[in-house]
Amino acid sequence: MRRNESTEVSERFEYLQTLVTEFQDTDSEEAKQQVLANLANFAYDPKNSEHLLQLQVPDLFLDMLTEDNEDFVEFGMGGLCNLSMDPDCRDVILQSGGVGSVTNCLSSRREETVLSAITTLMNLTTAATRAQTTEPGVLQCMLRFSLAESPRLRSLASVFLQDCCSREQVRRAEQQMQGPQTAVGIPLPKD
């Protein structure tokens, strides 16, 4: 039984390695998109976290967040969202400066990307990172999202404000939004 477990782990790693190699070697946007979608799905299973870390997939997902192709951004953000639940992956994302990249995705026109970004920020919020993940611009964005027509976006933004922020932070952000606006508002995503 032990041998089968070891074989399964080895085969799983090899398969994931094949996907990463395929992503790096192909010039086809469609093939890259398919591989990214697969990697994002594999990132959901905690059994794969260690392998994905070894293969530097969190960095691959972070790289996708700056692509012009919105599908790449969506799948990269979805993969990061899935990986950010694992403490080791969360640490790698934070050490790679991931908070800023994830925060930038809050301005995506795609609701799925925004939902993944909000969830990722929630997963990245620790005592040490709270100042970064709940900075005033993010809070103002969440306050706007909490008024969105989309029930999913509205609910998730409200959970973020409730679970990741102090009442005082939210109150200050609300006051700042009532005063003169210095920043251009982040548009709400379109379906």
Side-chain angles (χ1 to χ4, degrees):
M1 184 146 186
R2 215 36 169 162
R3 190 171 179 280
N4 288 344
E5 227 175 88
S6 174
T7 303
E8 182 185 318
V9 168
S10 175
E11 287 172 359
R12 184 184 298 250
F13 178 81
E14 287 172 22
Y15 180 72
L16 293 170
Q17 188 171 35
T18 301
L19 283 176
V20 171
T21 302
E22 182 182 342
F23 181 86
Q24 292 167 337
D25 290 349
T26 187
D27 291 327
S28 163
E29 292 251 324
E30 193 175 314
K32 281 184 183 282
Q33 195 171 305
Q34 187 62 50
V35 171
L36 269 177
N38 286 331
L39 286 170
N41 285 334
F42 281 111
Y44 190 75
D45 187 343
K47 288 180 185 175
N48 296 323
S49 296
E50 188 180 327
H51 300 316
L52 293 170
L53 272 173
Q54 272 184 281
L55 295 166
Q56 299 177 330
V57 172
D59 291 325
L60 172 69
F61 287 150
L62 280 166
D63 288 344
M64 293 303 102
L65 301 187
T66 58
E67 288 290 321
D68 291 332
N69 181 324
E70 290 188 24
D71 291 325
F72 286 8
V73 176
E74 181 177 330
F75 294 132
M77 193 64 258
L80 279 177
C81 181
N82 289 339
L83 284 178
S84 66
M85 293 183 281
D86 178 87
D88 292 331
C89 291
R90 181 187 66 213
D91 291 345
V92 167
I93 295 166
L94 289 168
Q95 289 163 6
S96 298
V99 172
S101 300
V102 171
T103 299
N104 288 339
C105 288
L106 293 174
S107 63
S108 173
R109 291 188 306 259
R110 289 197 177 180
E111 185 171 325
E112 286 304 318
T113 301
V114 174
L115 292 169
S116 292
I118 295 171
T119 304
T120 303
L121 285 173
M122 291 170 72
N123 292 339
L124 295 178
T125 300
T126 64
T129 63
R130 188 172 311 279
Q132 214 180 348
T133 58
T134 64
E135 59 94 14
V138 171
L139 262 66
Q140 290 175 20
C141 189
M142 294 303 164
L143 285 167
R144 281 194 293 278
F145 289 157
S146 71
L147 304 172
E149 285 182 36
S150 161
R152 294 167 64 207
L153 187 57
R154 192 172 56 239
S155 296
L156 193 56
S158 296
V159 169
F160 180 93
L161 290 167
Q162 185 178 341
D163 290 359
C164 298
C165 310
S166 69
R167 285 190 182 155
E168 177 59 23
Q169 279 180 299
V170 174
R171 189 186 63 70
R172 274 196 313 265
E174 287 171 337
Q175 283 178 336
Q176 289 169 343
M177 286 179 73
Q178 289 170 0
Q181 294 290 311
T182 56
V184 176
I186 294 176
L188 293 176
K190 297 171 179 58
D191 284 327

mmCIF file of all heavy atoms in Angstrom, residues 103-135:
data_model
loop_
_atom_site.group_PDB
_atom_site.id
_atom_site.type_symbol
_atom_site.label_atom_id
_atom_site.label_comp_id
_atom_site.label_asym_id
_atom_site.label_seq_id
_atom_site.Cartn_x
_atom_site.Cartn_y
_atom_site.Cartn_z
ATOM 1 N N THR A 103 -4.376 43.149 -5.599
ATOM 2 C CA THR A 103 -5.167 44.375 -5.440
ATOM 3 C C THR A 103 -5.461 45.010 -6.797
ATOM 4 O O THR A 103 -6.571 45.487 -7.043
ATOM 5 C CB THR A 103 -4.426 45.376 -4.522
ATOM 6 O OG1 THR A 103 -4.251 44.756 -3.246
ATOM 7 C CG2 THR A 103 -5.223 46.644 -4.336
ATOM 8 N N ASN A 104 -4.491 44.988 -7.698
ATOM 9 C CA ASN A 104 -4.706 45.539 -9.043
ATOM 10 C C ASN A 104 -5.841 44.831 -9.777
ATOM 11 O O ASN A 104 -6.510 45.434 -10.619
ATOM 12 C CB ASN A 104 -3.429 45.464 -9.871
ATOM 13 C CG ASN A 104 -2.386 46.454 -9.406
ATOM 14 O OD1 ASN A 104 -2.698 47.445 -8.749
ATOM 15 N ND2 ASN A 104 -1.138 46.180 -9.733
ATOM 16 N N CYS A 105 -6.078 43.561 -9.460
ATOM 17 C CA CYS A 105 -7.136 42.792 -10.127
ATOM 18 C C CYS A 105 -8.532 43.206 -9.659
ATOM 19 O O CYS A 105 -9.530 42.804 -10.265
ATOM 20 C CB CYS A 105 -6.923 41.298 -9.924
ATOM 21 S SG CYS A 105 -5.526 40.670 -10.879
ATOM 22 N N LEU A 106 -8.616 44.002 -8.603
ATOM 23 C CA LEU A 106 -9.926 44.491 -8.160
ATOM 24 C C LEU A 106 -10.560 45.396 -9.212
ATOM 25 O O LEU A 106 -11.761 45.618 -9.208
ATOM 26 C CB LEU A 106 -9.799 45.248 -6.830
ATOM 27 C CG LEU A 106 -9.403 44.418 -5.615
ATOM 28 C CD1 LEU A 106 -9.163 45.324 -4.412
ATOM 29 C CD2 LEU A 106 -10.443 43.351 -5.309
ATOM 30 N N SER A 107 -9.746 45.916 -10.127
ATOM 31 C CA SER A 107 -10.276 46.806 -11.167
ATOM 32 C C SER A 107 -10.623 46.055 -12.454
ATOM 33 O O SER A 107 -10.965 46.682 -13.454
ATOM 34 C CB SER A 107 -9.284 47.927 -11.456
ATOM 35 O OG SER A 107 -8.083 47.395 -11.967
ATOM 36 N N SER A 108 -10.566 44.735 -12.432
ATOM 37 C CA SER A 108 -10.907 43.947 -13.621
ATOM 38 C C SER A 108 -12.375 44.160 -13.987
ATOM 39 O O SER A 108 -13.221 44.382 -13.121
ATOM 40 C CB SER A 108 -10.664 42.463 -13.345
ATOM 41 O OG SER A 108 -11.144 41.675 -14.424
ATOM 42 N N ARG A 109 -12.660 44.038 -15.266
ATOM 43 C CA ARG A 109 -14.052 44.123 -15.717
ATOM 44 C C ARG A 109 -14.762 42.780 -15.549
ATOM 45 O O ARG A 109 -15.971 42.694 -15.751
ATOM 46 C CB ARG A 109 -14.099 44.559 -17.179
ATOM 47 C CG ARG A 109 -13.647 46.000 -17.371
ATOM 48 C CD ARG A 109 -13.893 46.470 -18.793
ATOM 49 N NE ARG A 109 -13.312 45.600 -19.794
ATOM 50 C CZ ARG A 109 -12.177 45.847 -20.441
ATOM 51 N NH1 ARG A 109 -11.491 46.920 -20.185
ATOM 52 N NH2 ARG A 109 -11.737 44.998 -21.349
ATOM 53 N N ARG A 110 -14.010 41.749 -15.224
ATOM 54 C CA ARG A 110 -14.597 40.410 -15.073
ATOM 55 C C ARG A 110 -14.913 40.119 -13.615
ATOM 56 O O ARG A 110 -14.037 40.141 -12.752
ATOM 57 C CB ARG A 110 -13.634 39.346 -15.589
ATOM 58 C CG ARG A 110 -13.496 39.375 -17.077
ATOM 59 C CD ARG A 110 -12.884 38.099 -17.544
ATOM 60 N NE ARG A 110 -12.808 38.081 -18.985
ATOM 61 C CZ ARG A 110 -12.316 37.070 -19.660
ATOM 62 N NH1 ARG A 110 -11.856 36.013 -19.026
ATOM 63 N NH2 ARG A 110 -12.281 37.108 -20.965
ATOM 64 N N GLU A 111 -16.150 39.796 -13.366
ATOM 65 C CA GLU A 111 -16.579 39.541 -11.995
ATOM 66 C C GLU A 111 -15.818 38.371 -11.367
ATOM 67 O O GLU A 111 -15.445 38.454 -10.196
ATOM 68 C CB GLU A 111 -18.089 39.283 -11.952
ATOM 69 C CG GLU A 111 -18.593 39.126 -10.518
ATOM 70 C CD GLU A 111 -20.108 39.094 -10.417
ATOM 71 O OE1 GLU A 111 -20.770 39.791 -11.195
ATOM 72 O OE2 GLU A 111 -20.609 38.385 -9.548
ATOM 73 N N GLU A 112 -15.584 37.295 -12.115
ATOM 74 C CA GLU A 112 -14.877 36.137 -11.557
ATOM 75 C C GLU A 112 -13.480 36.526 -11.071
ATOM 76 O O GLU A 112 -13.022 36.078 -10.027
ATOM 77 C CB GLU A 112 -14.775 34.991 -12.569
ATOM 78 C CG GLU A 112 -16.063 34.240 -12.793
ATOM 79 C CD GLU A 112 -16.680 33.675 -11.521
ATOM 80 O OE1 GLU A 112 -15.960 33.131 -10.655
ATOM 81 O OE2 GLU A 112 -17.914 33.785 -11.383
ATOM 82 N N THR A 113 -12.806 37.358 -11.848
ATOM 83 C CA THR A 113 -11.468 37.808 -11.466
ATOM 84 C C THR A 113 -11.535 38.618 -10.182
ATOM 85 O O THR A 113 -10.729 38.429 -9.266
ATOM 86 C CB THR A 113 -10.837 38.640 -12.609
ATOM 87 O OG1 THR A 113 -10.767 37.830 -13.789
ATOM 88 C CG2 THR A 113 -9.438 39.113 -12.239
ATOM 89 N N VAL A 114 -12.507 39.513 -10.090
ATOM 90 C CA VAL A 114 -12.662 40.352 -8.899
ATOM 91 C C VAL A 114 -13.008 39.498 -7.685
ATOM 92 O O VAL A 114 -12.436 39.684 -6.603
ATOM 93 C CB VAL A 114 -13.730 41.450 -9.131
ATOM 94 C CG1 VAL A 114 -13.994 42.232 -7.848
ATOM 95 C CG2 VAL A 114 -13.285 42.396 -10.232
ATOM 96 N N LEU A 115 -13.916 38.544 -7.846
ATOM 97 C CA LEU A 115 -14.287 37.666 -6.725
ATOM 98 C C LEU A 115 -13.078 36.875 -6.231
ATOM 99 O O LEU A 115 -12.858 36.746 -5.019
ATOM 100 C CB LEU A 115 -15.421 36.720 -7.138
ATOM 101 C CG LEU A 115 -16.768 37.383 -7.408
ATOM 102 C CD1 LEU A 115 -17.731 36.399 -8.075
ATOM 103 C CD2 LEU A 115 -17.373 37.938 -6.127
ATOM 104 N N SER A 116 -12.276 36.375 -7.167
ATOM 105 C CA SER A 116 -11.059 35.638 -6.776
ATOM 106 C C SER A 116 -10.067 36.566 -6.076
ATOM 107 O O SER A 116 -9.411 36.167 -5.116
ATOM 108 C CB SER A 116 -10.394 35.007 -8.004
ATOM 109 O OG SER A 116 -11.190 33.974 -8.532
ATOM 110 N N ALA A 117 -9.967 37.802 -6.554
ATOM 111 C CA ALA A 117 -9.041 38.766 -5.937
ATOM 112 C C ALA A 117 -9.474 39.075 -4.497
ATOM 113 O O ALA A 117 -8.637 39.102 -3.586
ATOM 114 C CB ALA A 117 -8.964 40.044 -6.765
ATOM 115 N N ILE A 118 -10.763 39.290 -4.291
ATOM 116 C CA ILE A 118 -11.256 39.583 -2.933
ATOM 117 C C ILE A 118 -10.982 38.396 -2.009
ATOM 118 O O ILE A 118 -10.473 38.559 -0.900
ATOM 119 C CB ILE A 118 -12.766 39.918 -2.942
ATOM 120 C CG1 ILE A 118 -13.024 41.216 -3.707
ATOM 121 C CG2 ILE A 118 -13.298 40.034 -1.504
ATOM 122 C CD1 ILE A 118 -14.509 41.507 -3.957
ATOM 123 N N THR A 119 -11.295 37.202 -2.483
ATOM 124 C CA THR A 119 -11.086 35.994 -1.671
ATOM 125 C C THR A 119 -9.600 35.807 -1.364
ATOM 126 O O THR A 119 -9.223 35.464 -0.237
ATOM 127 C CB THR A 119 -11.649 34.751 -2.393
ATOM 128 O OG1 THR A 119 -13.030 34.986 -2.686
ATOM 129 C CG2 THR A 119 -11.513 33.505 -1.529
ATOM 130 N N THR A 120 -8.758 36.046 -2.356
ATOM 131 C CA THR A 120 -7.311 35.920 -2.146
ATOM 132 C C THR A 120 -6.838 36.917 -1.095
ATOM 133 O O THR A 120 -6.055 36.571 -0.206
ATOM 134 C CB THR A 120 -6.549 36.109 -3.471
ATOM 135 O OG1 THR A 120 -7.033 35.156 -4.418
ATOM 136 C CG2 THR A 120 -5.053 35.922 -3.280
ATOM 137 N N LEU A 121 -7.295 38.165 -1.192
ATOM 138 C CA LEU A 121 -6.917 39.162 -0.187
ATOM 139 C C LEU A 121 -7.357 38.720 1.213
ATOM 140 O O LEU A 121 -6.621 38.900 2.181
ATOM 141 C CB LEU A 121 -7.520 40.532 -0.520
ATOM 142 C CG LEU A 121 -6.849 41.288 -1.662
ATOM 143 C CD1 LEU A 121 -7.634 42.546 -2.010
ATOM 144 C CD2 LEU A 121 -5.399 41.632 -1.326
ATOM 145 N N MET A 122 -8.529 38.115 1.305
ATOM 146 C CA MET A 122 -8.986 37.603 2.609
ATOM 147 C C MET A 122 -8.031 36.521 3.115
ATOM 148 O O MET A 122 -7.651 36.514 4.282
ATOM 149 C CB MET A 122 -10.416 37.067 2.489
ATOM 150 C CG MET A 122 -11.439 38.168 2.254
ATOM 151 S SD MET A 122 -13.078 37.554 1.814
ATOM 152 C CE MET A 122 -13.625 36.894 3.372
ATOM 153 N N ASN A 123 -7.638 35.615 2.200
ATOM 154 C CA ASN A 123 -6.731 34.531 2.583
ATOM 155 C C ASN A 123 -5.331 35.036 2.925
ATOM 156 O O ASN A 123 -4.612 34.408 3.698
ATOM 157 C CB ASN A 123 -6.636 33.489 1.464
ATOM 158 C CG ASN A 123 -7.924 32.717 1.276
ATOM 159 O OD1 ASN A 123 -8.761 32.643 2.172
ATOM 160 N ND2 ASN A 123 -8.107 32.156 0.103
ATOM 161 N N LEU A 124 -4.929 36.146 2.324
ATOM 162 C CA LEU A 124 -3.592 36.700 2.568
ATOM 163 C C LEU A 124 -3.553 37.592 3.817
ATOM 164 O O LEU A 124 -2.481 38.001 4.238
ATOM 165 C CB LEU A 124 -3.119 37.513 1.355
ATOM 166 C CG LEU A 124 -2.889 36.748 0.055
ATOM 167 C CD1 LEU A 124 -2.470 37.710 -1.057
ATOM 168 C CD2 LEU A 124 -1.856 35.636 0.223
ATOM 169 N N THR A 125 -4.709 37.886 4.377
ATOM 170 C CA THR A 125 -4.765 38.780 5.532
ATOM 171 C C THR A 125 -4.365 38.037 6.803
ATOM 172 O O THR A 125 -5.008 37.069 7.198
ATOM 173 C CB THR A 125 -6.173 39.392 5.695
ATOM 174 O OG1 THR A 125 -6.482 40.130 4.507
ATOM 175 C CG2 THR A 125 -6.240 40.313 6.894
ATOM 176 N N THR A 126 -3.270 38.494 7.394
ATOM 177 C CA THR A 126 -2.801 37.977 8.683
ATOM 178 C C THR A 126 -2.519 39.201 9.551
ATOM 179 O O THR A 126 -2.586 40.338 9.073
ATOM 180 C CB THR A 126 -1.494 37.172 8.516
ATOM 181 O OG1 THR A 126 -0.462 38.061 8.060
ATOM 182 C CG2 THR A 126 -1.651 36.019 7.537
ATOM 183 N N ALA A 127 -2.160 38.967 10.784
ATOM 184 C CA ALA A 127 -1.814 40.089 11.659
ATOM 185 C C ALA A 127 -0.681 40.912 11.043
ATOM 186 O O ALA A 127 -0.678 42.142 11.114
ATOM 187 C CB ALA A 127 -1.424 39.584 13.046
ATOM 188 N N ALA A 128 0.264 40.232 10.400
ATOM 189 C CA ALA A 128 1.426 40.908 9.824
ATOM 190 C C ALA A 128 1.112 41.633 8.517
ATOM 191 O O ALA A 128 1.790 42.588 8.159
ATOM 192 C CB ALA A 128 2.545 39.901 9.581
ATOM 193 N N THR A 129 0.068 41.188 7.788
ATOM 194 C CA THR A 129 -0.211 41.765 6.470
ATOM 195 C C THR A 129 -1.452 42.654 6.447
ATOM 196 O O THR A 129 -1.738 43.267 5.414
ATOM 197 C CB THR A 129 -0.412 40.653 5.418
ATOM 198 O OG1 THR A 129 -1.566 39.885 5.781
ATOM 199 C CG2 THR A 129 0.812 39.767 5.298
ATOM 200 N N ARG A 130 -2.170 42.714 7.545
ATOM 201 C CA ARG A 130 -3.459 43.423 7.574
ATOM 202 C C ARG A 130 -3.350 44.868 7.063
ATOM 203 O O ARG A 130 -4.202 45.335 6.318
ATOM 204 C CB ARG A 130 -4.053 43.395 8.981
ATOM 205 C CG ARG A 130 -5.464 43.939 9.047
ATOM 206 C CD ARG A 130 -6.107 43.732 10.411
ATOM 207 N NE ARG A 130 -5.986 42.378 10.922
ATOM 208 C CZ ARG A 130 -6.774 41.352 10.571
ATOM 209 N NH1 ARG A 130 -7.728 41.543 9.700
ATOM 210 N NH2 ARG A 130 -6.597 40.159 11.086
ATOM 211 N N ALA A 131 -2.303 45.579 7.432
ATOM 212 C CA ALA A 131 -2.156 46.975 6.995
ATOM 213 C C ALA A 131 -2.094 47.060 5.468
ATOM 214 O O ALA A 131 -2.590 48.013 4.868
ATOM 215 C CB ALA A 131 -0.908 47.592 7.617
ATOM 216 N N GLN A 132 -1.485 46.064 4.851
ATOM 217 C CA GLN A 132 -1.340 46.042 3.397
ATOM 218 C C GLN A 132 -2.634 45.624 2.698
ATOM 219 O O GLN A 132 -3.052 46.252 1.722
ATOM 220 C CB GLN A 132 -0.232 45.046 3.050
ATOM 221 C CG GLN A 132 0.583 45.398 1.868
ATOM 222 C CD GLN A 132 1.651 44.325 1.613
ATOM 223 O OE1 GLN A 132 1.924 43.445 2.414
ATOM 224 N NE2 GLN A 132 2.255 44.415 0.446
ATOM 225 N N THR A 133 -3.282 44.572 3.216
ATOM 226 C CA THR A 133 -4.472 44.029 2.538
ATOM 227 C C THR A 133 -5.717 44.874 2.797
ATOM 228 O O THR A 133 -6.704 44.737 2.081
ATOM 229 C CB THR A 133 -4.749 42.571 2.961
ATOM 230 O OG1 THR A 133 -4.930 42.516 4.377
ATOM 231 C CG2 THR A 133 -3.632 41.649 2.528
ATOM 232 N N THR A 134 -5.658 45.715 3.834
ATOM 233 C CA THR A 134 -6.838 46.535 4.147
ATOM 234 C C THR A 134 -6.509 48.027 4.091
ATOM 235 O O THR A 134 -7.080 48.815 4.830
ATOM 236 C CB THR A 134 -7.419 46.177 5.529
ATOM 237 O OG1 THR A 134 -6.451 46.501 6.533
ATOM 238 C CG2 THR A 134 -7.804 44.722 5.632
ATOM 239 N N GLU A 135 -5.593 48.396 3.202
ATOM 240 C CA GLU A 135 -5.240 49.816 3.093
ATOM 241 C C GLU A 135 -6.470 50.589 2.601
ATOM 242 O O GLU A 135 -7.395 50.011 2.046
ATOM 243 C CB GLU A 135 -3.983 49.993 2.234
ATOM 244 C CG GLU A 135 -4.074 49.465 0.836
ATOM 245 C CD GLU A 135 -4.496 50.539 -0.159
ATOM 246 O OE1 GLU A 135 -4.463 51.721 0.166
ATOM 247 O OE2 GLU A 135 -4.885 50.163 -1.259
#
